[in-house]
mmCIF file of all heavy atoms in Angstrom:
data_model
loop_
_atom_site.group_PDB
_atom_site.id
_atom_site.type_symbol
_atom_site.label_atom_id
_atom_site.label_comp_id
_atom_site.label_asym_id
_atom_site.label_seq_id
_atom_site.Cartn_x
_atom_site.Cartn_y
_atom_site.Cartn_z
ATOM 1 N N SER A 13 -0.715 16.332 -7.804
ATOM 2 C CA SER A 13 0.064 16.526 -8.995
ATOM 3 C C SER A 13 -0.464 15.966 -10.266
ATOM 4 O O SER A 13 -0.118 16.405 -11.369
ATOM 5 C CB SER A 13 1.481 15.924 -8.754
ATOM 6 O OG SER A 13 1.393 14.519 -8.645
ATOM 7 N N GLY A 54 -5.183 1.821 -5.965
ATOM 8 C CA GLY A 54 -4.182 2.238 -6.881
ATOM 9 C C GLY A 54 -3.080 1.227 -6.912
ATOM 10 O O GLY A 54 -3.002 0.278 -6.122
ATOM 11 N N THR A 192 -20.752 24.461 -24.345
ATOM 12 C CA THR A 192 -21.248 25.694 -25.003
ATOM 13 C C THR A 192 -20.650 26.944 -24.535
ATOM 14 O O THR A 192 -20.133 27.797 -25.275
ATOM 15 C CB THR A 192 -22.786 25.818 -24.830
ATOM 16 O OG1 THR A 192 -23.356 24.686 -25.372
ATOM 17 C CG2 THR A 192 -23.340 27.009 -25.615
ATOM 18 N N ASN A 208 -12.787 10.751 -38.989
ATOM 19 C CA ASN A 208 -11.373 10.288 -38.825
ATOM 20 C C ASN A 208 -10.907 10.152 -37.385
ATOM 21 O O ASN A 208 -9.784 9.836 -37.080
ATOM 22 C CB ASN A 208 -10.376 11.115 -39.639
ATOM 23 C CG ASN A 208 -10.532 12.614 -39.270
ATOM 24 O OD1 ASN A 208 -10.943 12.937 -38.158
ATOM 25 N ND2 ASN A 208 -10.085 13.449 -40.206
ATOM 26 N N VAL A 210 -12.556 9.345 -33.107
ATOM 27 C CA VAL A 210 -13.650 8.740 -32.305
ATOM 28 C C VAL A 210 -13.604 9.195 -30.900
ATOM 29 O O VAL A 210 -12.497 9.404 -30.345
ATOM 30 C CB VAL A 210 -13.621 7.195 -32.444
ATOM 31 C CG1 VAL A 210 -12.359 6.674 -31.825
ATOM 32 C CG2 VAL A 210 -14.858 6.529 -31.844
ATOM 33 N N CYS A 272 -23.562 10.642 -46.253
ATOM 34 C CA CYS A 272 -24.050 11.542 -45.319
ATOM 35 C C CYS A 272 -25.532 11.246 -45.006
ATOM 36 O O CYS A 272 -26.352 10.968 -45.863
ATOM 37 C CB CYS A 272 -23.912 12.955 -45.821
ATOM 38 S SG CYS A 272 -24.620 14.225 -44.693
#
Side-chain angles (χ1 to χ4, degrees):
S13 66
T192 303
N208 53 24
V210 64
C272 178

